[in-house]
Amino acid sequence: MDTEKMKQDLGGAVFDMGEINPYGQFFTGESYLKMLTTEGVGIGNVTFEPGCRNNWHIHHAKSGGGQILLVTGGRGYYQEWGKEARELHAGDVVSIPPEVKHWHGAANDSWFQHLAVEVPGEETSNEWLEAVSDEEYKRLR
């Protein structure tokens, strides 16, 4: 891990990056997870090394649900199926409705960090799908 590059990209990170992500099998590259709370609303601090991204996935819910990303550092991307990727920077907020296929992760030259807020709902679940292909990812700026 290039600690100096991480500090430069993430600035004065507020939250601890945590341990290696236990959901790492659904990511390309290395990510870290620190759950900040699991009471009421689950909030996790997710840190991605440069080039790391999660697989396409869907947050299912009978009602309510979805996810909100609060970007805290670095440069990354969010993309919904069939749409162009959106570049993300500290201060950006992404509201992800339930039932939307999407992915998010770091740019290839920057660490990336966001808080993942799980929106409460009924009968919520997460469906992990295929990896974002290297070809798709390389098309990003």
Side-chain angles (χ1 to χ4, degrees):
M1 173 189 319
D2 184 346
T3 306
E4 287 306 311
K5 172 82 170 130
M6 180 182 65
K7 287 179 184 176
Q8 177 185 358
D9 291 345
L10 299 179
V14 176
F15 300 106
D16 179 39
M17 67 187 274
E19 304 296 325
I20 290 180
N21 194 335
Y23 301 99
Q25 72 267 30
F26 304 115
F27 287 68
T28 299
E30 201 70 70
S31 66
Y32 302 85
L33 176 63
K34 171 69 174 182
M35 288 306 298
L36 303 178
T37 182
T38 55
E39 295 180 30
V41 175
I43 302 174
N45 183 43
V46 186
T47 305
F48 300 77
E49 70 178 2
C52 178
R53 67 259 188 201
N54 53 31
N55 290 5
W56 289 98
H57 59 286
I58 301 170
H59 302 281
H60 295 293
K62 182 176 180 182
S63 67
Q67 186 178 57
I68 299 170
L69 306 179
L70 306 172
V71 181
T72 57
R75 186 169 73 89
Y77 295 99
Y78 167 77
Q79 184 175 19
E80 292 181 3
W81 188 257
K83 296 183 179 179
E84 292 295 316
R86 172 182 164 195
E87 189 170 318
L88 300 175
H89 301 273
D92 287 339
V93 176
V94 180
S95 293
I96 306 165
E99 309 308 327
V100 172
K101 184 176 178 177
H102 68 282
W103 70 270
H104 35 103
N108 65 356
D109 61 351
S110 177
W111 284 79
F112 179 62
Q113 195 170 62
H114 65 56
L115 300 181
V117 180
E118 299 301 324
V119 177
E122 274 187 63
E123 297 180 29
T124 60
S125 65
N126 199 26
E127 180 183 5
W128 291 101
L129 303 165
E130 71 273 15
V132 175
S133 73
D134 289 339
E135 296 74 30
E136 288 175 286
Y137 185 75
K138 287 176 185 175
R139 283 189 288 236
L140 302 172
R141 293 184 276 144

